[in-house]
Amino acid sequence: MGDLTGRVALVTGAARGIGAATAKALADAGAKVVISDVADGSETAAAIGGAYVKHDVVSEADWANAVAFAKRTFGGLDILVNNAGVFWLKPIAATSLEDFRRMQQINVEGVFLGLKHAIPAIAECASQWDGGGAIINLSSVAGLVGSPMTLAYSASKGAVRLMTKCAAMECAQAGMKVRVNSVHPGIIDTPMMAEAAEVMAGASGANDMRQRFAERHPMGRLGRDLDIANAIKFLASDAAAFMTGSEVVVDGGMTAM
Ligand SMILES: NC(=O)c1ccc[n+]([C@@H]2O[C@H](COP(=O)([O-])OP(=O)(O)OC[C@H]3O[C@@H](n4cnc5c(N)ncnc54)[C@H](O)[C@@H]3O)[C@@H](O)[C@H]2O)c1
């Protein structure tokens, strides 16, 4: 189950964190992986036998280039993981309009452009696989439930959740074999989480903050990047052939309460 031999995947924001773990999991399953990021991902790519392309997800020209790079380098495109994203915690009153717009630009417009540019490329290759091609969008538990200080982030991740379902319906109705699903992580131990812990920690220290983040999950621990990468690998594979428009929650039980 989960074999991806012969498939080509593009993972955005894959220089570190969940994206890097996902790129490795897809490569371990046999896929050829393009790592894209605004930051340098060449070492991450070299470690898994993949290829790196510089890519800012807010730029339409960069999207066209990244998809063309995947086709040119590995011969097509079968899987897109819309992973690149940003996060910060701010009370509503302290959030500037510019802050709010920047969050939507990266987390929402980035995913929109990814869907727009990758769906036609994936559809071209999809008929050779039982489960067709696959797009996995990174939403969050913050796209399912509200919490203090995450208004801009939750707005963006709620949008990703429904954009996923719209794209899934459009592909299915058009008879394209492209499945589109979202993944909703809890709090995952990545550089993004560590940066948030630093900001929130204040006098109590970042380790105390990590512990408090961990305790928000009924399972009593932070998520690991591999917990999310494994769910993405499953959705990318033929094992998920009848799944589209679904939301896969990987949160140690957080939103089950
Ligand atoms: N870590 C968590 O607790 C958590 C929880 C729920 C959802 N998520 C989501 O998972 C995804 C990955 O999160 P992570 O924790 O690995 O984050 P991270 O900050 O550790 O890594 C994100 C990567 O995205 C890249 N990036 C940022 N802006 C970009 C842009 N404009 N274009 C291209 N690349 C860009 C960064 O350079 C970085 O390499 C994000 O969409 C995030 O919102 C994370």
Side-chain angles (χ1 to χ4, degrees):
M1 191 174 91
D3 180 40
L4 297 174
T5 303
R7 291 182 222 211
V8 180
L10 169 60
V11 186
T12 68
R16 69 180 200 182
I18 292 169
T22 298
K24 182 174 185 319
L26 299 181
D28 288 348
K32 294 170 188 149
V33 182
V34 173
I35 282 184
S36 89
D37 205 299
V38 273
D40 183 14
S42 48
E43 274 184 30
T44 315
I48 62 163
Y52 163 70
V53 63
K54 190 169 174 61
H55 176 196
D56 185 339
V57 294
V58 309
S59 159
E60 188 150 18
D62 279 11
W63 267 109
N65 184 54
V67 170
F69 177 84
K71 287 183 175 181
R72 195 167 65 240
T73 309
F74 293 130
L77 186 64
D78 305 290
I79 298 160
L80 168 67
V81 184
N82 267 319
N83 167 77
V86 291
F87 170 74
W88 57 79
L89 290 158
K90 271 191 189 178
I92 296 167
T95 302
S96 67
L97 185 54
E98 197 176 63
D99 289 338
F100 185 86
R101 285 182 176 155
R102 184 64 182 154
M103 184 80 84
Q104 311 318 311
Q105 189 184 25
I106 298 172
N107 292 3
V108 181
E109 291 181 21
V111 171
F112 156 64
L113 290 173
L115 293 166
K116 182 176 170 185
H117 284 268
I119 287 171
I122 295 176
E124 274 174 31
C125 305
S127 59
Q128 62 189 305
W129 314 113
D130 271 357
I135 298 179
I136 298 95
N137 294 329
L138 267 289
S139 179
S140 168
V141 288
L144 300 173
V145 296
S147 56
M149 299 210 288
T150 66
L151 179 131
Y153 186 69
S154 292
S156 74
K157 292 302 184 179
V160 170
R161 171 176 172 268
L162 276 179
M163 285 158 65
T164 300
K165 294 181 196 301
C166 293
M169 294 306 97
E170 207 167 301
C171 289
Q173 278 188 2
M176 278 186 253
K177 284 184 72 182
V178 182
R179 297 177 296 101
V180 190
N181 294 289
S182 57
V183 171
H184 301 257
I187 306 174
I188 312 303
D189 194 357
T190 67
M192 175 186 276
M193 195 268 341
E195 286 159 15
E198 284 289 335
V199 171
M200 291 282 286
S204 59
N207 278 341
D208 183 55
M209 202 61 231
R210 284 173 63 89
Q211 186 55 31
R212 282 163 58 191
F213 282 161
E215 285 164 4
R216 289 185 58 189
H217 306 89
M219 291 182 76
R221 68 164 173 88
L222 291 168
R224 301 179 189 114
D225 52 17
L226 192 58
D227 293 325
I228 308 307
N230 281 333
I232 294 170
K233 183 177 71 174
F234 164 70
L235 287 170
S237 76
D238 291 347
F242 199 47
M243 290 180 72
T244 198
S246 299
E247 39 195 77
V248 174
V249 180
V250 188
D251 70 348
M254 185 193 276
T255 54
M257 288 189 285

